[in-house]
Amino acid sequence: MFTLFKIDRFLLCVFVVLLSSFPLAAVAKNDSKTFSQQKHYRHIMFRETPYASYRGIHPISDKVSETNAHYQFSYDDKGRVNEIRYQMGEQLIRDNEVWDSFIWFAPKVSISYHKDKEIHTYYNAQNQQIAAHGNVFKAVYALDKNGKRIALSFFDETASPVESAWHIHRYEWRHEGGKVYEKRFNLKNEQQPLRPEFKFYEVELTYDEDNKLTFVKNLGLNGTPTNNESGAGIDRIIYDQNGNFTRWQVYSKDGNPVEGNRPMVHIGEHLYDTFGNKVGLRGFDKFDNRKTFSWGAFEHESTYYPNGNQKSHKIFDEKGQLSRHLLLEYNQAQSHISWLKSLDENNQLTASPMLGGAAALKYEYLDDGSRSPTLFNSDLSEFKAQKMKTGE
């Protein structure tokens, strides 16, 4: 059965590597909570792990934020970030297929500070606290005497220990020689990889003088430089002057170029427009030749509406032939997706495997925040072959 979950998961795979599903968002206007300061950014900086703090890039004015999708950072009277909202104007929205980071799980994150800990809670677009990224209702950072993060644990609504969607309950960090060393554990105290599809276990994280992550080195399960099954042992991450994550490069533990990890390329390259929107993705082998990603795409191409919502996504094969084209349409408030449409090279509706053989999908949003999908044929008659589930 082709469920809504499968469609959402496929879309995230299309835009980058297979990522976790994001919580559903209807809309909720900015609440009345007051802050000492607020700033607005079109995007947030890439985070490979939750060790790094959230950081906005591509700042915009209050006026521009009124009509554009953006992250609103709010600060307490000590200058600490205590809330981040992804919103259109003042309405919370879901990600709308805009990928900035592996570590962004809800339309709103609230942060509270205590003597030796920092607590993050998550909210949907109706401004209701939710369990995000699995059943994580609360994320609790442990801090050392200098305020550095040394651990992170996840808990459910009853305050019981819980695992994230990546099977992680606890992160542990130690600081040594200017590096950060990270391990992850499930509820059985077994080490877990960075993500299920990224088989680095203990890692050495290197941050530059601007606190951007630049190297991730795999130390395996024994604390020594290790290659995973793909031959990868090091990921190098490169940014442009705006803070956009522009490239990753894959090396063996000895520093030799390899085509590894899930994408099975040596270099992955993200392309951006002037607003920081990710408009392209392409891969290269270790000889700097273009290479097809492991999921079959040779090149990804995306376009955006003026307000920052994604408009379309295309996948091309090695011959330059269009293999998939997805058009996204939104409700009048531009707060959530109303239609997904599969188009051919002539921009006509066409059946697509990603929609289970249908050509279009329409979402109806319900009062409880869930959404009801309906599939259609290319002539917009209702697609009857498979029944989809209702929900997030």
Side-chain angles (χ1 to χ4, degrees), residues 118-120 122 136-142 150-156 160-163 168-173 185:
E118 177 183 326
I119 300 175
H120 292 212
Y122 305 95
V136 178
F137 196 75
K138 183 181 294 186
V140 181
Y141 286 90
I150 55 176
L152 170 63
S153 300
F154 297 137
F155 301 91
D156 66 16
S160 298
V162 70
E163 293 179 0
I168 298 168
H169 163 60
R170 186 177 78 260
Y171 289 78
E172 292 183 357
W173 297 293
F185 300 88

mmCIF file of all heavy atoms in Angstrom, residues 118-120 122 136-142 150-156 160-163 168-173 185:
data_model
loop_
_atom_site.group_PDB
_atom_site.id
_atom_site.type_symbol
_atom_site.label_atom_id
_atom_site.label_comp_id
_atom_site.label_asym_id
_atom_site.label_seq_id
_atom_site.Cartn_x
_atom_site.Cartn_y
_atom_site.Cartn_z
ATOM 1 N N GLU A 118 20.282 22.445 29.240
ATOM 2 C CA GLU A 118 19.556 23.240 28.252
ATOM 3 C C GLU A 118 18.476 22.335 27.695
ATOM 4 O O GLU A 118 18.762 21.211 27.277
ATOM 5 C CB GLU A 118 20.538 23.687 27.169
ATOM 6 C CG GLU A 118 19.970 24.470 26.014
ATOM 7 C CD GLU A 118 21.037 24.792 24.984
ATOM 8 O OE1 GLU A 118 22.200 25.019 25.369
ATOM 9 O OE2 GLU A 118 20.705 24.770 23.780
ATOM 10 N N ILE A 119 17.233 22.773 27.699
ATOM 11 C CA ILE A 119 16.113 21.916 27.325
ATOM 12 C C ILE A 119 15.438 22.450 26.066
ATOM 13 O O ILE A 119 15.070 23.628 25.999
ATOM 14 C CB ILE A 119 15.087 21.810 28.478
ATOM 15 C CG1 ILE A 119 15.771 21.213 29.721
ATOM 16 C CG2 ILE A 119 13.889 20.958 28.057
ATOM 17 C CD1 ILE A 119 14.887 21.175 30.946
ATOM 18 N N HIS A 120 15.267 21.575 25.080
ATOM 19 C CA HIS A 120 14.585 21.922 23.838
ATOM 20 C C HIS A 120 13.248 21.180 23.775
ATOM 21 O O HIS A 120 13.186 19.974 24.040
ATOM 22 C CB HIS A 120 15.427 21.515 22.626
ATOM 23 C CG HIS A 120 16.680 22.307 22.464
ATOM 24 N ND1 HIS A 120 17.230 22.585 21.226
ATOM 25 C CD2 HIS A 120 17.509 22.882 23.369
ATOM 26 C CE1 HIS A 120 18.339 23.293 21.389
ATOM 27 N NE2 HIS A 120 18.536 23.473 22.682
ATOM 28 N N TYR A 122 9.496 20.913 21.252
ATOM 29 C CA TYR A 122 9.106 21.039 19.852
ATOM 30 C C TYR A 122 7.606 21.293 19.725
ATOM 31 O O TYR A 122 6.806 20.778 20.505
ATOM 32 C CB TYR A 122 9.496 19.763 19.099
ATOM 33 C CG TYR A 122 10.955 19.429 19.257
ATOM 34 C CD1 TYR A 122 11.399 18.536 20.228
ATOM 35 C CD2 TYR A 122 11.912 20.041 18.446
ATOM 36 C CE1 TYR A 122 12.744 18.252 20.385
ATOM 37 C CE2 TYR A 122 13.263 19.767 18.597
ATOM 38 C CZ TYR A 122 13.678 18.867 19.571
ATOM 39 O OH TYR A 122 15.009 18.600 19.738
ATOM 40 N N VAL A 136 10.309 12.007 20.399
ATOM 41 C CA VAL A 136 11.088 12.913 21.242
ATOM 42 C C VAL A 136 10.229 14.110 21.641
ATOM 43 O O VAL A 136 9.987 15.012 20.846
ATOM 44 C CB VAL A 136 12.365 13.388 20.521
ATOM 45 C CG1 VAL A 136 13.128 14.375 21.414
ATOM 46 C CG2 VAL A 136 13.235 12.207 20.144
ATOM 47 N N PHE A 137 9.781 14.119 22.890
ATOM 48 C CA PHE A 137 8.967 15.205 23.414
ATOM 49 C C PHE A 137 9.847 16.279 24.042
ATOM 50 O O PHE A 137 9.506 17.456 24.057
ATOM 51 C CB PHE A 137 7.988 14.660 24.453
ATOM 52 C CG PHE A 137 6.854 15.582 24.796
ATOM 53 C CD1 PHE A 137 5.794 15.772 23.915
ATOM 54 C CD2 PHE A 137 6.838 16.251 26.004
ATOM 55 C CE1 PHE A 137 4.745 16.627 24.226
ATOM 56 C CE2 PHE A 137 5.781 17.097 26.343
ATOM 57 C CZ PHE A 137 4.734 17.288 25.452
ATOM 58 N N LYS A 138 10.996 15.872 24.551
ATOM 59 C CA LYS A 138 11.912 16.797 25.197
ATOM 60 C C LYS A 138 13.345 16.334 24.952
ATOM 61 O O LYS A 138 13.660 15.154 25.070
ATOM 62 C CB LYS A 138 11.629 16.864 26.697
ATOM 63 C CG LYS A 138 12.486 17.859 27.470
ATOM 64 C CD LYS A 138 12.145 17.845 28.958
ATOM 65 C CE LYS A 138 10.737 18.358 29.196
ATOM 66 N NZ LYS A 138 10.462 18.466 30.656
ATOM 67 N N ALA A 139 14.207 17.283 24.586
ATOM 68 C CA ALA A 139 15.629 17.010 24.391
ATOM 69 C C ALA A 139 16.400 17.783 25.447
ATOM 70 O O ALA A 139 16.285 19.012 25.529
ATOM 71 C CB ALA A 139 16.073 17.435 22.991
ATOM 72 N N VAL A 140 17.182 17.075 26.253
ATOM 73 C CA VAL A 140 17.869 17.699 27.379
ATOM 74 C C VAL A 140 19.382 17.623 27.182
ATOM 75 O O VAL A 140 19.960 16.530 27.158
ATOM 76 C CB VAL A 140 17.474 17.026 28.709
ATOM 77 C CG1 VAL A 140 18.196 17.706 29.875
ATOM 78 C CG2 VAL A 140 15.960 17.071 28.912
ATOM 79 N N TYR A 141 20.002 18.784 27.017
ATOM 80 C CA TYR A 141 21.459 18.871 26.924
ATOM 81 C C TYR A 141 22.054 18.982 28.319
ATOM 82 O O TYR A 141 21.559 19.752 29.157
ATOM 83 C CB TYR A 141 21.888 20.112 26.140
ATOM 84 C CG TYR A 141 21.684 20.039 24.646
ATOM 85 C CD1 TYR A 141 20.496 20.454 24.064
ATOM 86 C CD2 TYR A 141 22.709 19.594 23.813
ATOM 87 C CE1 TYR A 141 20.318 20.423 22.688
ATOM 88 C CE2 TYR A 141 22.541 19.561 22.434
ATOM 89 C CZ TYR A 141 21.350 19.973 21.884
ATOM 90 O OH TYR A 141 21.175 19.931 20.522
ATOM 91 N N ALA A 142 23.127 18.247 28.584
ATOM 92 C CA ALA A 142 23.914 18.414 29.803
ATOM 93 C C ALA A 142 25.098 19.315 29.479
ATOM 94 O O ALA A 142 25.753 19.144 28.438
ATOM 95 C CB ALA A 142 24.396 17.061 30.318
ATOM 96 N N ILE A 150 27.976 18.537 26.747
ATOM 97 C CA ILE A 150 28.707 17.282 26.938
ATOM 98 C C ILE A 150 27.816 16.060 26.730
ATOM 99 O O ILE A 150 28.317 14.946 26.616
ATOM 100 C CB ILE A 150 29.364 17.219 28.331
ATOM 101 C CG1 ILE A 150 28.328 17.431 29.436
ATOM 102 C CG2 ILE A 150 30.477 18.253 28.429
ATOM 103 C CD1 ILE A 150 28.898 17.275 30.845
ATOM 104 N N ALA A 151 26.497 16.255 26.664
ATOM 105 C CA ALA A 151 25.594 15.126 26.429
ATOM 106 C C ALA A 151 24.228 15.653 26.011
ATOM 107 O O ALA A 151 23.895 16.832 26.225
ATOM 108 C CB ALA A 151 25.468 14.256 27.682
ATOM 109 N N LEU A 152 23.450 14.771 25.409
ATOM 110 C CA LEU A 152 22.074 15.068 25.017
ATOM 111 C C LEU A 152 21.257 13.800 25.165
ATOM 112 O O LEU A 152 21.657 12.740 24.679
ATOM 113 C CB LEU A 152 22.013 15.560 23.562
ATOM 114 C CG LEU A 152 20.630 15.679 22.917
ATOM 115 C CD1 LEU A 152 19.782 16.719 23.647
ATOM 116 C CD2 LEU A 152 20.760 16.041 21.437
ATOM 117 N N SER A 153 20.112 13.892 25.854
ATOM 118 C CA SER A 153 19.241 12.732 26.048
ATOM 119 C C SER A 153 17.828 13.088 25.641
ATOM 120 O O SER A 153 17.382 14.236 25.789
ATOM 121 C CB SER A 153 19.260 12.284 27.518
ATOM 122 O OG SER A 153 20.565 11.925 27.919
ATOM 123 N N PHE A 154 17.090 12.094 25.129
ATOM 124 C CA PHE A 154 15.732 12.294 24.659
ATOM 125 C C PHE A 154 14.728 11.627 25.602
ATOM 126 O O PHE A 154 14.977 10.523 26.117
ATOM 127 C CB PHE A 154 15.573 11.705 23.261
ATOM 128 C CG PHE A 154 16.441 12.362 22.215
ATOM 129 C CD1 PHE A 154 17.118 11.594 21.280
ATOM 130 C CD2 PHE A 154 16.570 13.736 22.159
ATOM 131 C CE1 PHE A 154 17.905 12.188 20.314
ATOM 132 C CE2 PHE A 154 17.361 14.343 21.187
ATOM 133 C CZ PHE A 154 18.030 13.561 20.262
ATOM 134 N N PHE A 155 13.561 12.292 25.761
ATOM 135 C CA PHE A 155 12.518 11.788 26.644
ATOM 136 C C PHE A 155 11.151 11.956 25.992
ATOM 137 O O PHE A 155 10.942 12.868 25.186
ATOM 138 C CB PHE A 155 12.547 12.532 27.988
ATOM 139 C CG PHE A 155 13.864 12.400 28.703
ATOM 140 C CD1 PHE A 155 14.867 13.339 28.505
ATOM 141 C CD2 PHE A 155 14.112 11.323 29.537
ATOM 142 C CE1 PHE A 155 16.096 13.222 29.144
ATOM 143 C CE2 PHE A 155 15.339 11.188 30.170
ATOM 144 C CZ PHE A 155 16.329 12.133 29.977
ATOM 145 N N ASP A 156 10.228 11.069 26.357
ATOM 146 C CA ASP A 156 8.882 11.159 25.800
ATOM 147 C C ASP A 156 8.004 12.040 26.689
ATOM 148 O O ASP A 156 8.485 12.690 27.629
ATOM 149 C CB ASP A 156 8.278 9.769 25.591
ATOM 150 C CG ASP A 156 8.038 9.015 26.895
ATOM 151 O OD1 ASP A 156 8.047 9.636 27.986
ATOM 152 O OD2 ASP A 156 7.815 7.788 26.832
ATOM 153 N N SER A 160 9.946 9.591 30.235
ATOM 154 C CA SER A 160 10.671 8.328 30.155
ATOM 155 C C SER A 160 11.697 8.402 29.023
ATOM 156 O O SER A 160 11.444 9.042 27.994
ATOM 157 C CB SER A 160 9.711 7.167 29.891
ATOM 158 O OG SER A 160 8.790 7.032 30.950
ATOM 159 N N PRO A 161 12.851 7.762 29.189
ATOM 160 C CA PRO A 161 13.858 7.759 28.118
ATOM 161 C C PRO A 161 13.280 7.191 26.833
ATOM 162 O O PRO A 161 12.504 6.214 26.862
ATOM 163 C CB PRO A 161 14.967 6.867 28.681
ATOM 164 C CG PRO A 161 14.789 6.936 30.162
ATOM 165 C CD PRO A 161 13.311 7.033 30.383
ATOM 166 N N VAL A 162 13.646 7.778 25.704
ATOM 167 C CA VAL A 162 13.101 7.360 24.416
ATOM 168 C C VAL A 162 14.172 7.503 23.351
ATOM 169 O O VAL A 162 15.128 8.262 23.505
ATOM 170 C CB VAL A 162 11.858 8.216 24.073
ATOM 171 C CG1 VAL A 162 12.258 9.645 23.762
ATOM 172 C CG2 VAL A 162 11.072 7.615 22.925
ATOM 173 N N GLU A 163 14.016 6.751 22.263
ATOM 174 C CA GLU A 163 14.923 6.862 21.123
ATOM 175 C C GLU A 163 14.318 7.762 20.052
ATOM 176 O O GLU A 163 13.101 7.843 19.896
ATOM 177 C CB GLU A 163 15.195 5.476 20.526
ATOM 178 C CG GLU A 163 15.969 4.551 21.439
ATOM 179 C CD GLU A 163 16.193 3.173 20.827
ATOM 180 O OE1 GLU A 163 15.730 2.949 19.684
ATOM 181 O OE2 GLU A 163 16.819 2.320 21.479
ATOM 182 N N ILE A 168 18.477 6.662 18.397
ATOM 183 C CA ILE A 168 19.428 7.243 19.341
ATOM 184 C C ILE A 168 18.684 7.773 20.561
ATOM 185 O O ILE A 168 17.722 8.546 20.415
ATOM 186 C CB ILE A 168 20.230 8.390 18.689
ATOM 187 C CG1 ILE A 168 21.055 7.865 17.511
ATOM 188 C CG2 ILE A 168 21.149 9.071 19.713
ATOM 189 C CD1 ILE A 168 21.639 8.958 16.636
ATOM 190 N N HIS A 169 19.107 7.381 21.742
ATOM 191 C CA HIS A 169 18.580 7.966 22.980
ATOM 192 C C HIS A 169 19.524 9.022 23.527
ATOM 193 O O HIS A 169 19.091 10.061 24.017
ATOM 194 C CB HIS A 169 18.371 6.897 24.056
ATOM 195 C CG HIS A 169 18.238 7.485 25.439
ATOM 196 N ND1 HIS A 169 17.240 8.381 25.763
ATOM 197 C CD2 HIS A 169 19.008 7.352 26.566
ATOM 198 C CE1 HIS A 169 17.372 8.759 27.033
ATOM 199 N NE2 HIS A 169 18.441 8.162 27.526
ATOM 200 N N ARG A 170 20.825 8.775 23.417
ATOM 201 C CA ARG A 170 21.784 9.650 24.081
ATOM 202 C C ARG A 170 22.992 9.937 23.188
ATOM 203 O O ARG A 170 23.537 9.039 22.545
ATOM 204 C CB ARG A 170 22.264 8.994 25.380
ATOM 205 C CG ARG A 170 23.167 9.863 26.250
ATOM 206 C CD ARG A 170 23.534 9.162 27.555
ATOM 207 N NE ARG A 170 24.588 8.154 27.391
ATOM 208 C CZ ARG A 170 24.396 6.854 27.303
ATOM 209 N NH1 ARG A 170 23.170 6.359 27.353
ATOM 210 N NH2 ARG A 170 25.406 6.015 27.158
ATOM 211 N N TYR A 171 23.389 11.206 23.152
ATOM 212 C CA TYR A 171 24.648 11.631 22.549
ATOM 213 C C TYR A 171 25.624 11.947 23.680
ATOM 214 O O TYR A 171 25.230 12.495 24.717
ATOM 215 C CB TYR A 171 24.469 12.914 21.726
ATOM 216 C CG TYR A 171 23.712 12.759 20.432
ATOM 217 C CD1 TYR A 171 22.323 12.672 20.424
ATOM 218 C CD2 TYR A 171 24.370 12.739 19.204
ATOM 219 C CE1 TYR A 171 21.613 12.562 19.236
ATOM 220 C CE2 TYR A 171 23.672 12.628 18.008
ATOM 221 C CZ TYR A 171 22.295 12.543 18.033
ATOM 222 O OH TYR A 171 21.598 12.431 16.851
ATOM 223 N N GLU A 172 26.893 11.627 23.479
ATOM 224 C CA GLU A 172 27.925 12.005 24.432
ATOM 225 C C GLU A 172 29.047 12.719 23.687
ATOM 226 O O GLU A 172 29.458 12.276 22.607
ATOM 227 C CB GLU A 172 28.490 10.773 25.149
ATOM 228 C CG GLU A 172 27.504 10.107 26.088
ATOM 229 C CD GLU A 172 28.111 8.932 26.839
ATOM 230 O OE1 GLU A 172 29.291 8.598 26.583
ATOM 231 O OE2 GLU A 172 27.401 8.339 27.670
ATOM 232 N N TRP A 173 29.531 13.841 24.266
ATOM 233 C CA TRP A 173 30.602 14.613 23.644
ATOM 234 C C TRP A 173 31.741 14.852 24.636
ATOM 235 O O TRP A 173 31.503 15.148 25.813
ATOM 236 C CB TRP A 173 30.093 15.970 23.170
ATOM 237 C CG TRP A 173 29.036 15.871 22.116
ATOM 238 C CD1 TRP A 173 29.191 15.413 20.839
ATOM 239 C CD2 TRP A 173 27.651 16.228 22.234
ATOM 240 N NE1 TRP A 173 28.000 15.470 20.145
ATOM 241 C CE2 TRP A 173 27.031 15.970 20.990
ATOM 242 C CE3 TRP A 173 26.882 16.753 23.265
ATOM 243 C CZ2 TRP A 173 25.690 16.218 20.756
ATOM 244 C CZ3 TRP A 173 25.533 16.999 23.043
ATOM 245 C CH2 TRP A 173 24.948 16.729 21.794
ATOM 246 N N PHE A 185 24.163 6.473 21.512
ATOM 247 C CA PHE A 185 23.744 5.204 22.098
ATOM 248 C C PHE A 185 22.221 5.059 22.045
ATOM 249 O O PHE A 185 21.482 6.041 22.179
ATOM 250 C CB PHE A 185 24.192 5.117 23.564
ATOM 251 C CG PHE A 185 25.679 5.214 23.750
ATOM 252 C CD1 PHE A 185 26.302 6.448 23.889
ATOM 253 C CD2 PHE A 185 26.463 4.065 23.778
ATOM 254 C CE1 PHE A 185 27.674 6.543 24.068
ATOM 255 C CE2 PHE A 185 27.839 4.147 23.947
ATOM 256 C CZ PHE A 185 28.450 5.388 24.095
#
